[in-house]
Amino acid sequence: MSETADALRPHELAVETPQGFDAGLWFIGRIRTPWTRRGDCPHRGDAEAGPDCRIELSPRWQVALTGIEAHERLQILYWMDQARRDLVLQNPKFGAGATGTFALRSPVRPNPVASSVVRLLAVEGTVLTVRGLDCLDGTPLIDIKAAFGALA
Amino acid sequence: MSETADALRPHELAVETPQGFDAGLWFIGRIRTPWTRRGDCPHRGDAEAGPDCRIELSPRWQVALTGIEAHERLQILYWMDQARRDLVLQNPKFGAGATGTFALRSPVRPNPVASSVVRLLAVEGTVLTVRGLDCLDGTPLIDIKAAFGALA
């Protein structure tokens, strides 16, 4: 797991992190997007007008896609592996003050699990084509869930 | 991390899981609900009519709550630590067939990260009172995020 120790911006605050982890994640695939630098990623995915992205699932889990075509909307969880995990106050816009990490959706958080609701366009083998992601090309995939209702 | 090896139901299918984990999670608090047995949990949380639940954050992360009161809706991520992780086909309703894990929101999945959108009622120190959770009492907390739009 890589962690980029970016410098703190004004008003930001870091804490000492716990020793050792409490649970483990498996990366179950990779996400392919047009964005290769953090600064290029959109602030938030657009399930209507955003570009088509690919979710490449590891073959081990392929059978778990059974019936997925019935769902136009899916919730995707992924791991923001470029983000530092120790900030409790952040200043994403370089403004005059800082905001608590839990009052934001920034990738910088203790457990950098991101959540997006996407539109499912196609399923071919272990590859899903979707619209609505906002992450870097190569981002590790954690989960795919049926989404009900109008999850933003 | 506990894992309950429940017996397979008809039509269910398990796969061999990967060796070793790819990333680690910290439990950042605990969720307090009225439900102490899995069978008692509601199928889905109700942010309007459900009972009040408590999110108890570890003091280490308290400053990260700064500004949280501005958000009526929060997205909560938590770890379903009672669920097995190797099922690709499930039969939650004991029906005639099975459904792929990724076409469901069952707690049984490779990475048992659950996601609920709740209504924030009160903040007092490290304790949030919210409505809309569906999990067992004592469930480990992974993340709190600002929620925008009508996330179901």
Side-chain angles (χ1 to χ4, degrees):
Chain A
M1 178 172 44
S2 71
E3 183 173 320
T4 305
D6 299 319
L8 290 180
R9 297 171 182 175
H11 309 292
E12 291 190 334
L13 180 66
V15 296
E16 192 177 344
T17 54
Q19 295 197 320
F21 292 114
D22 300 301
L25 294 172
W26 294 312
F27 295 162
I28 62 169
R30 292 276 164 185
I31 296 175
R32 297 292 167 196
T33 74
W35 306 294
T36 56
R37 294 180 309 177
R38 278 189 286 174
D40 295 339
C41 294
H43 186 62
R44 192 163 165 215
D46 185 332
E48 303 306 325
D52 292 1
C53 299
R54 289 159 54 94
I55 296 174
E56 300 176 351
L57 185 68
S58 303
R60 176 192 305 269
W61 305 106
Q62 182 172 357
V63 175
L65 293 176
T66 303
I68 198 101
E69 309 84 4
H71 297 276
E72 192 194 349
R73 299 270 165 175
L74 298 173
Q75 182 179 15
I76 309 299
L77 301 184
Y78 42 104
W79 186 251
M80 309 300 275
D81 60 353
Q82 304 293 306
R84 62 185 293 167
R85 300 177 61 171
D86 59 348
L87 290 198
V88 288
L89 288 179
Q90 301 180 44
N91 191 9
K93 293 174 182 166
F94 284 72
T99 304
T101 292
F102 299 139
L104 297 168
R105 292 182 70 84
S106 156
V108 173
R109 49 207 317 114
N111 294 305
V113 177
S115 165
S116 288
V117 174
V118 303
R119 191 148 67 94
L120 176 61
L121 301 175
V123 183
E124 195 168 355
T126 55
V127 176
L128 309 185
T129 303
V130 304
R131 204 170 280 177
L133 290 171
D134 56 10
C135 60
L136 280 175
D137 186 47
T139 294
L141 177 68
I142 294 175
D143 200 9
I144 302 169
K145 297 178 196 287
F148 301 104
L151 297 93
Chain B
M1 178 174 44
S2 72
E3 181 172 321
T4 306
D6 298 320
L8 290 180
R9 297 172 181 174
H11 309 291
E12 292 190 335
L13 180 66
V15 296
E16 192 177 342
T17 54
Q19 295 196 318
F21 292 114
D22 300 302
L25 294 173
W26 294 312
F27 295 162
I28 62 169
R30 293 274 164 184
I31 295 175
R32 297 292 167 196
T33 74
W35 306 294
T36 56
R37 294 179 308 177
R38 279 190 285 173
D40 294 339
C41 295
H43 185 64
R44 194 166 163 212
D46 184 333
E48 303 307 323
D52 292 2
C53 299
R54 289 160 54 94
I55 295 173
E56 299 176 352
L57 185 69
S58 302
R60 177 192 304 269
W61 305 107
Q62 180 171 358
V63 174
L65 293 176
T66 304
I68 198 101
E69 308 84 5
H71 297 276
E72 190 194 348
R73 299 269 166 174
L74 298 173
Q75 182 179 14
I76 310 298
L77 301 185
Y78 42 104
W79 186 251
M80 309 301 274
D81 60 354
Q82 304 292 306
R84 61 186 292 166
R85 299 176 63 172
D86 59 349
L87 291 197
V88 288
L89 288 179
Q90 301 180 44
N91 191 8
K93 291 175 184 164
F94 283 72
T99 304
T101 292
F102 299 140
L104 297 168
R105 293 182 70 84
S106 157
V108 173
R109 50 207 318 113
N111 294 305
V113 177
S115 165
S116 289
V117 174
V118 303
R119 192 148 67 94
L120 177 61
L121 301 175
V123 184
E124 193 168 354
T126 55
V127 176
L128 309 186
T129 303
V130 304
R131 203 169 280 179
L133 290 171
D134 57 10
C135 60
L136 280 174
D137 185 50
T139 294
L141 176 69
I142 295 174
D143 200 8
I144 302 169
K145 298 178 195 286
F148 300 104
L151 296 93

